[in-house]
């Protein structure tokens, strides 16, 4: 029996590439996973709360700002639940706030919608109080 090739446009594969790109700071690779009309929503109460649009808007409004305020910000993806174009990822954020020097280690859930091999929607769910506490002196 021959090996089956992995479809790199499959929703879980696209989402996984996004996590790897984010963890390595490769913003070009991260933008390549996002649809031109992406809607990326950071949860109310999160320091960067709101909806960001376009791949450049997501990386400049979210990833670059996180890097300004936090050392080692990483989303560690561990569990994927896939149903059609929907991918829910259970993960963990770890980082150290640059001003307070307080560590962050919090569980998070991300809901992605992937169409045509690109992320078209993202919604974050996180305990925003834990993030706020780490950022507050």
């Amino acid at each position: 029996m021959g090996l089956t090739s992995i479809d790199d446009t499959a929703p879980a594969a696209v989402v996984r590439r996004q996590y790897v790109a984010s963890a390595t700071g490769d913003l070009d690779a991260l933008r390549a996973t996002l649809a031109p009309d992406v809607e990326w929503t950071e949860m109310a109460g999160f320091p960067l709360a709101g909806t960001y649009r376009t791949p450049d808007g997501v990386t400049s409004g979210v990833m670059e700002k996180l890097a300004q305020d936090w050392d080692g910000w990483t989303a560690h993806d561990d569990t994927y639940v896939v149903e059609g174009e929907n991918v829910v990822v259970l993960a963990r954020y770890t980082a150290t706030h640059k001003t307070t020097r307080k560590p962050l280690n919090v569980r998070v859930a991300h809901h992605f919608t992937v169409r045509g091999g690109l992320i078209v929607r993202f919604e974050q769910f996180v305990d925003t109080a834990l993030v706020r506490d780490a950022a507050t002196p």
Side-chain angles (χ1 to χ4, degrees):
M1 183 179 290
L3 294 175
T4 303
S5 65
I6 296 173
D7 179 2
D8 65 358
T9 64
V14 173
V15 169
R16 177 68 183 139
R17 278 200 313 279
Q18 179 275 149
Y19 280 103
V20 170
S22 179
T24 60
D26 187 344
L27 297 185
D28 288 335
L30 194 149
R31 283 189 286 272
T33 67
L34 304 176
D37 60 346
V38 65
E39 290 186 4
W40 186 281
T41 302
E42 299 287 320
M43 190 169 176
F46 190 72
L48 304 174
T51 299
Y52 300 83
R53 291 175 174 81
T54 77
D56 286 333
V58 170
T59 55
S60 66
V62 179
M63 287 70 184
E64 291 177 13
K65 294 223 188 284
L66 288 171
Q68 289 171 5
D69 295 336
W70 300 85
D71 283 326
W73 182 277
T74 305
H76 307 270
D77 53 324
D78 58 56
T79 303
Y80 283 63
V81 180
V82 181
E83 184 174 316
E85 65 186 13
N86 293 291
V87 180
V88 174
V89 179
L90 304 179
R92 178 173 302 281
Y93 290 152
T94 60
T96 302
H97 195 269
K98 287 184 176 181
T99 303
T100 68
R101 302 310 305 159
K102 292 181 185 176
L104 176 69
N105 186 336
V106 64
R107 290 295 283 164
V108 61
H110 293 151
H111 175 207
F112 295 87
T113 305
V114 180
R115 287 191 195 117
L118 296 171
I119 296 166
V120 296
R121 287 197 63 233
F122 165 88
E123 188 174 8
Q124 172 203 55
F125 300 90
V126 64
D127 185 340
T128 58
L130 293 177
V131 178
R132 186 177 52 249
D133 288 351
T136 304

